[in-house]
Amino acid sequence: MRQTYFIADLHLSESRPDITAAFYQFLDSHIVNKDVDALYILGDFFEVWVGDDYVTQLSTDVAARLKRVSNNGTSVFFIHGNRDFIMRDGYAKKAGMTILDEQTVIDLYGTPTVILHGDEMCTQDIEYQKFRKKGRGWWWPRLMLALPLWYRRSVAKKAREKSKQNQAGKSLDILDVTEEAVLNVFAKHQVNNMIHGHTHRPDVHHYKAHGEALTRTVLGDWYTQGSYLVVTPESQKLMSTPF
Ligand code: MN
């Protein structure tokens, strides 16, 4: 049976070995040698990414596991999240994965589908969108990656603390996507199917626009469960497996 998997928001880190273990378990039970066409990782795969030159046991092990997946014939694709958007081809190559554009349209067994991390659709969070614009622009990543590793690590640490403080003061609505932004993404790519992560609110949403039925699937985070979407030529199933 042909099948394609989607995951996002694992937030892999040294401080959460249980998440890493759940991810390896997921690969072993669903992906490796299971006749899977593709595995798509839609951002925030790692809790923090300060550059491909910051090599850890975790990043090395994860790359080796993923490399095995692609060597076995399953294509692995990655879209940047807001935590790991300065990952580059150096690490992707080690992990046997291909980095895709931040909004990419794929042919999902005949259904054109736009896939993205999704943070750009949280348009009510103006402060964050300002940072996003800078971070995804041409000069900021180049400047960051030219700075010494210790400095980048301290910038990342401060940014995480600041983001925690900011989020604590924001209502849940502000941190979610807006319907306007969602409909704009559907319209921009002229598709009726969307898959994204980021908001940590796993669900399947249905819309009607211009007489078309639109479907938006949100992947869950991996803080307390494994969460994935599995798509076959016949079905789309959003699954969660508690640790
Ligand atoms: Mn995110």
Side-chain angles (χ1 to χ4, degrees):
M1 183 182 57
R2 300 186 62 195
Q3 45 186 345
T4 295
Y5 281 78
F6 297 84
I7 54 175
D9 301 293
L10 285 83
H11 295 266
L12 295 174
S13 79
E14 275 83 8
S15 64
R16 287 293 306 270
D18 54 334
I19 299 178
T20 308
F23 174 57
Y24 293 164
Q25 170 79 47
F26 163 78
L27 291 181
D28 289 341
S29 50
H30 297 280
I31 310 292
V32 178
N33 296 324
K34 293 289 191 290
D35 198 17
V36 172
D37 291 323
L39 169 65
Y40 289 88
I41 303 169
L42 303 187
D44 288 0
F45 186 33
F46 288 93
E47 170 75 0
V48 62
W49 195 262
V50 294
D52 295 5
D53 53 342
Y54 183 52
V55 177
T56 63
Q57 191 64 52
L58 177 67
S59 69
T60 304
D61 290 349
V62 168
R65 293 272 186 156
L66 281 177
K67 187 80 184 173
R68 209 175 306 154
V69 169
S70 61
N71 284 346
N72 278 328
T74 296
S75 306
V76 182
F77 299 99
F78 175 73
I79 289 183
H80 291 123
N82 50 300
R83 304 299 193 106
D84 43 22
F85 67 91
I86 58 171
M87 188 187 289
R88 293 292 178 262
D89 284 336
Y91 183 74
K93 218 175 160 194
K94 262 202 262 176
M97 57 185 188
T98 305
I99 300 180
L100 301 176
D101 289 343
E102 62 180 24
Q103 295 182 1
T104 295
V105 175
I106 59 170
D107 175 359
L108 199 48
Y109 305 118
T111 305
T113 301
V114 63
I115 56 174
L116 63 164
H117 182 57
D119 51 323
E120 64 267 58
M121 297 188 295
C122 301
T123 48
Q124 281 181 292
D125 193 345
I126 290 161
E127 204 176 346
Y128 169 69
Q129 292 303 332
K130 262 195 218 158
F131 168 75
R132 187 182 197 281
K133 205 173 166 201
K134 182 172 75 174
R136 304 293 184 102
W138 71 271
W139 64 270
W140 195 89
R142 279 175 179 77
L143 175 68
M144 275 308 269
L145 290 172
L147 292 168
L149 188 50
W150 65 265
Y151 182 78
R152 275 177 270 149
R153 290 185 70 190
S154 88
V155 168
K157 190 161 173 261
K158 276 189 203 124
R160 275 205 312 286
E161 278 158 14
K162 204 176 153 207
S163 131
K164 254 184 216 158
Q165 282 166 10
N166 284 342
Q167 287 197 3
K170 277 171 193 162
S171 76
L172 289 174
D173 280 350
I174 286 183
L175 299 172
D176 200 359
V177 299
T178 63
E179 186 166 316
E180 189 194 3
V182 165
L183 294 177
N184 282 343
V185 172
F186 275 120
K188 180 177 171 192
H189 299 285
Q190 304 267 299
V191 298
N192 295 345
N193 199 34
M194 180 190 302
I195 301 166
H196 71 88
H198 181 65
T199 61
H200 300 193
R201 297 167 196 220
D203 208 344
V204 182
H205 300 269
H206 300 282
Y207 306 85
K208 270 252 160 13
H210 315 296
E212 302 271 344
L214 311 175
T215 305
R216 173 172 71 97
T217 303
V218 187
L219 303 166
D221 65 79
W222 282 55
Y223 287 139
T224 55
Q225 78 273 306
S227 177
Y228 60 86
L229 175 73
V230 52
V231 181
T232 71
E234 288 82 38
S235 67
Q236 284 205 39
K237 277 189 199 130
L238 185 59
M239 307 291 291
S240 108
T241 48
F243 286 176

